[in-house]
Amino acid sequence: MASWTPQPAGLQEILQTIHDSTDMNTAVQRSITQKLNQFTRAPEYIAYLAYILSSMTQEEDRIRTIAGYLLKNNSRLILSAPQGVAHFVKAAVLEAFNDSSIMIRNAASQDIVAFLGVLEPKNWPECLQLLVGALDSTDLDKQEAAFNALEKACEDYPRKMDVEIGGTRPLDYMIPKFLSLTEHPSAKMRSHAVACLSYFVPISCQSLFVHIDSFIACLFKRASDDDPSVRRHVCQALVLLLAARPEKLMPEMSNVAEYMLYSTKDKNENVALEACEFWLTFAEDADLAAYLHPLLGKVAPVLLDCMVYGEDDLLWLEGDTEDAAVPDKEQDIKPRHYGGKSHGLDRDPTEGGDAPPKPRIGAYGEEQIDSDEDDDDDADDDDFADEMSTEWNLRKCAAAALDVLAVRFGADLLNVLLAPLKDKLWSNDWLQRESGILALGAMAEGELELQL
């Protein structure tokens, strides 16, 4: 551990503030927020938080974890911190990552991802070395914790990972390691491995592309994995390869297409959604139209079937059944068609992509912490309804894909869908009729003259 030591008075003040922050009284929370904001002006603030997280084992895990969340929330302060403070914080976070408590390890993992993104791996190589080294641990918990942190880093800032450090490129070693770990007995490890590899496709990472044939072979091998998370990442990787290196998939397109059609009908909607993205990506690339056209007869009916309301959609719709006496809000009467989505993976804002969607966070920076205040119930319900109505899902993805196919292939698409569309529009099941109407709306962009 680095040589920085806390001042007792300062440590006690910050520790007491963290203890007080567990009081949910609104006035107390307002006062705590003001105090926490004032603390950020102290150059050593993040060192105190790191000390509480890593060293104050006499405190409850909950208190130490809050310090960890606050540390993540203030990670950018390390850029202006004194050198001794920065060294201490980095060492303390790595120490906490090996703590016996899973709560502390999880908080430290989030801190690692945050600091590694702020500092960049080239300025904290010992952290990257520790994470990669832990992948060889005989302790599965340590392996999974390290891989979880690596996956988040690879997803959030792949370009920062693709750098030279001390004359070598860490990815030249990490990519083969990830490829080998796709065979790991643990489904979580296999899922992390496939995910990490896929995140380097959009940035044309040469450390990956020199192994691209092995990567594709590994995807085909994992395509029938028992774990849906692994299959989801396999589908995601194939989508990204189709966008970045389509020539690598074309020789096997008949097999890839059959697999993606099968996966689009997967019972796990996360898998099905990733597979459906494949057809949207395929349709959006005009240069691939000649390869997609022969598949229309199989693809279009599957997309049409995907446009039927799913169970989650129906649960959301049922929430509207008992409010006949309540005046409609503007969003209640908007048509429920498919919405847009920024296509492709979300990226670190500093890398030129769109900012990733922000998770819901609490006062300390912890993710997905909901308020218990009764006054917030109505707002929470409204937020949930808005989220459900705009969330990108299988139904909306299929509608978007059908829209692009209509633009691309016009009457050829209509010839394929004429019979199944008639069946849906004349069905006794309102869900089937509704999906047929949605399909007609989606295809209208293609300026088809429908004669039904």
Side-chain angles (χ1 to χ4, degrees), residues 151-439:
E151 182 186 336
K152 289 176 181 175
C154 292
E155 180 181 12
D156 290 350
Y157 37 84
R159 283 191 176 86
K160 293 178 182 178
M161 301 287 286
D162 189 16
V163 293
E164 186 174 296
I165 302 176
T168 62
R169 302 187 76 83
L171 285 183
D172 287 347
Y173 169 78
M174 293 166 63
I175 295 297
K177 171 65 70 175
F178 294 163
L179 286 168
S180 68
L181 288 171
T182 61
E183 302 283 348
H184 198 283
S186 163
K188 284 185 179 179
M189 292 292 286
R190 296 196 303 274
S191 178
H192 287 318
V194 176
C196 284
L197 290 163
S198 71
Y199 296 136
F200 293 107
V201 173
I203 67 168
S204 300
C205 172
Q206 290 309 303
S207 297
L208 173 64
F209 282 179
V210 295
H211 298 284
I212 193 166
D213 291 333
S214 298
F215 178 39
I216 293 173
C218 125
L219 294 178
F220 289 162
K221 192 168 185 179
R222 294 271 65 88
S224 57
D225 199 285
D226 292 336
D227 187 80
S229 178
V230 177
R231 297 198 307 275
R232 179 175 74 85
H233 285 301
V234 167
C235 291
Q236 180 186 67
L238 290 171
V239 172
L240 295 171
L241 281 169
L242 182 68
R245 296 293 299 273
E247 77 282 359
K248 285 294 181 179
L249 294 184
M250 290 308 128
E252 294 290 336
M253 184 46 70
S254 59
N255 292 329
V256 173
E258 287 297 330
Y259 173 69
M260 297 307 272
L261 281 169
Y262 177 79
S263 297
T264 305
K265 296 179 283 187
D266 197 291
K267 292 180 180 179
N268 185 292
E269 184 164 343
N270 291 325
V271 176
L273 175 57
E274 291 294 345
C276 192
E277 288 274 1
F278 183 85
W279 305 116
L280 179 53
T281 300
F282 210 157
E284 287 176 337
D285 192 336
D287 294 336
L288 300 180
Y291 297 95
L292 181 55
H293 189 271
L295 302 172
L296 273 183
K298 293 182 177 180
V299 175
V302 170
L303 293 176
L304 188 61
D305 287 339
C306 289
M307 293 168 66
V308 180
Y309 273 122
E311 290 182 7
D312 289 343
D313 296 308
L314 291 175
L315 288 173
W316 171 57
L317 289 173
E318 286 174 5
D320 293 341
T321 57
E322 298 181 4
D323 63 352
V326 179
D328 287 331
K329 292 180 286 188
E330 182 180 355
Q331 59 265 34
D332 292 336
I333 57 178
K334 288 180 180 177
R336 287 169 175 151
H337 297 314
Y338 64 92
K341 181 197 179 193
S342 177
H343 215 195
L345 287 172
D346 291 315
R347 286 286 166 249
D348 178 13
T350 63
E351 296 180 7
D354 292 332
K358 299 294 184 184
R360 192 171 183 180
I361 62 174
Y364 316 117
E366 72 278 20
E367 297 181 6
Q368 303 297 325
I369 300 298
D370 291 326
S371 170
D372 293 327
E373 294 290 335
D374 293 339
D375 292 343
D376 292 340
D377 286 347
D378 292 340
D380 289 345
D381 290 342
D382 289 342
D383 289 344
F384 176 75
D386 291 342
E387 182 179 329
M388 286 298 296
S389 66
T390 59
E391 182 183 5
W392 184 250
N393 57 24
L394 179 62
R395 166 182 161 89
K396 294 173 183 176
C397 184
L402 206 60
D403 177 347
V404 182
L405 287 174
V407 175
R408 189 77 64 213
F409 299 111
D412 288 345
L413 177 66
L414 177 59
N415 291 335
V416 168
L417 287 182
L418 192 59
L421 261 178
K422 282 185 175 179
D423 290 341
K424 286 188 178 295
L425 291 172
W426 292 100
S427 171
N428 291 326
D429 184 346
W430 75 268
L431 292 172
Q432 296 294 326
R433 291 198 304 275
E434 194 279 340
S435 69
I437 294 170
L438 177 63

